[in-house]
Amino acid sequence: MARCVLCGRSAGLFYRLHKACYAEHQALSEQLYKTLSDQIERQSSDDLASVLQQSLLRHNFLVEPAKRALVRALEKYAEQQLSSDSPSSLLQAWSDLLLVLALPDKLFLTPNFVSQQTALLGLKSLSQDQIPALNIPADRFTEELAEGEELLYYFPQTSLLHTQEQSAQWSLARQLFRGLLGNRTHSAVQAKQQATIELWVSNQCLYLRGEKQHSIDIKFEHIFSLTPQSNGVMIQSRLADAKPVILQDVNGRLLYGFLKQVVQG
C-alpha cells in the first residue's frame, strides 16, 4: 500500500494522497497567509514566527509537507502584497521574519526566494540613492578594520565562482589540437571552482569569507569593473595576476547596485 505524501499513513492501492489531507493542507496554507497578513507589523518577528510554527503542529502532517504549507503562504504574501515600493517598516518586518523562520531554499518554488525578498528593503534604499540600512550581526565579524573603515552590509550566503585556466601545454601537437576543436572546446578546459561564503562590505573593501582557500579581500581601489551576471555580479580587479571573481546566488540587483554605489562613492 502506498503512503500519503502529506500524513504518511496508508493511502490505499495506487494512491499517494488522501483527499481530506489535501483539503486540510490547502486550508492550513490559507490560514497561515491570513495570520501573516494580519499580524506581520503587529507582532515581533520572533513572536509571529512562533505563532506560524505552532499552527503547523496542530495538524498531523509530516515535517516537510507542513513546512511547505507555510512556504506557500509566504510565497502568496510576497506575490500579492509586497514590492520594493512597500513601506520600509513592512519590508523590514518581512525580512526579519524570513530570517527567523530560516526555511530551506529547496522548499520554495522560486530559486533564492529568501535572498530576493530580504533584498527588497535594500533595493528601495538604492532607488532613493541611499545606502541600505546597516544589517551587520553583532560580534559576527571579528577581524581588525583599517583606520577610518566601517562595515556597511552583510550577505550571509553567497556562492564564489571563478574559472581557472589549466596548465598550458605548448607542444605543437597541443596547439594544433586546440585549433582544430575551436573555441567551444577551449572553454571546456577551464575548471570551475565554487564555494559557499559569507560576504562583508565595508566602505573600503569586500571581505569574502569561507574556508581558508576561499577567503579573499578585494579593496575598492583595485576594482576595475563590475559586471551584472545572472543572479550575481562579476568583479574584475586591475591587479596584474587577478582573475575575475563571480559572486552568485544572491540578489544580483541589490549586490550590483550596492557595490556600484559604494565603490564609486
Side-chain angles (χ1 to χ4, degrees):
M1 292 288 183
R3 295 186 177 277
C4 175
V5 296
L6 294 177
C7 71
R9 297 189 296 270
S10 174
L13 192 62
F14 305 126
Y15 290 93
R16 294 293 305 279
L17 183 67
H18 293 127
K19 291 182 180 180
C21 284
Y22 176 75
E24 184 181 349
H25 195 266
Q26 294 293 98
L28 172 60
S29 185
E30 284 300 315
Q31 174 205 329
L32 293 168
Y33 169 75
K34 186 176 186 305
T35 301
L36 174 60
S37 302
D38 292 343
Q39 300 297 323
I40 188 165
E41 288 192 274
R42 297 180 180 179
Q43 298 191 54
S44 70
S45 56
D46 289 328
D47 289 343
L48 180 53
S50 178
V51 168
L52 296 172
Q53 290 166 337
Q54 287 297 319
S55 295
L56 303 183
L57 299 178
R58 300 190 188 102
H59 299 263
N60 294 319
F61 294 131
L62 299 173
V63 173
E64 185 167 311
K67 289 183 178 179
R68 287 188 185 277
L70 176 54
V71 164
R72 298 293 88 83
L74 295 169
E75 290 175 328
K76 181 177 179 179
Y77 183 80
E79 179 181 357
Q80 297 191 3
Q81 301 199 36
L82 288 180
S83 72
S84 56
D85 295 326
S86 299
S88 296
S89 59
L90 176 59
L91 294 178
Q92 184 66 66
W94 173 241
S95 177
D96 292 343
L97 176 64
L98 291 175
L99 293 176
V100 171
L101 289 171
L103 293 164
D105 285 338
K106 68 177 183 179
L107 297 180
F108 293 90
L109 296 176
T110 303
N112 306 304
F113 175 87
V114 174
S115 65
Q116 290 178 10
Q117 293 300 311
T118 54
L120 289 174
L121 183 60
L123 287 170
K124 182 171 185 174
S125 298
L126 290 173
S127 70
Q128 300 170 345
D129 295 324
Q130 299 173 355
I131 295 296
L134 185 72
N135 73 333
I136 306 297
D139 301 325
R140 183 76 177 180
F141 190 88
T142 58
E143 300 177 38
E144 185 175 352
L145 298 174
E147 183 177 354
E149 184 178 13
E150 59 180 341
L151 293 175
L152 299 178
Y153 210 76
Y154 169 61
F155 294 88
Q157 185 169 310
T158 306
S159 291
L160 169 64
L161 175 69
H162 63 269
T163 57
Q164 184 175 11
E165 188 78 28
Q166 292 182 347
S167 300
Q169 299 180 26
W170 295 110
S171 68
L172 178 60
R174 178 61 176 173
Q175 293 182 53
L176 289 173
F177 178 71
R178 289 177 60 171
L180 289 170
L181 293 180
N183 291 334
R184 184 175 181 181
T185 301
H186 170 63
S187 63
V189 302
Q190 295 187 346
K192 291 184 177 180
Q193 296 183 342
Q194 186 167 342
T196 299
I197 63 165
E198 294 178 315
L199 172 63
W200 306 83
V201 185
S202 79
N203 59 341
Q204 298 182 22
C205 185
L206 298 180
Y207 295 97
L208 284 57
R209 292 294 180 265
E211 297 180 4
K212 186 175 181 180
Q213 65 270 32
H214 297 125
S215 292
I216 304 171
D217 296 350
I218 304 177
K219 293 185 179 298
F220 292 160
E221 62 189 272
H222 297 153
I223 292 178
F224 175 73
S225 66
L226 297 169
T227 307
Q229 299 283 304
S230 175
N231 202 32
V233 176
M234 181 171 69
I235 303 171
Q236 176 64 64
S237 172
R238 61 169 50 92
L239 298 178
D241 60 346
K243 298 181 177 66
V245 169
I246 300 174
L247 302 175
Q248 288 186 330
D249 299 328
V250 294
N251 187 291
R253 287 176 58 202
L254 174 62
L255 180 58
Y256 175 74
F258 183 75
L259 293 182
K260 187 175 181 182
Q261 185 159 326
V262 174
V263 171
Q264 292 182 344

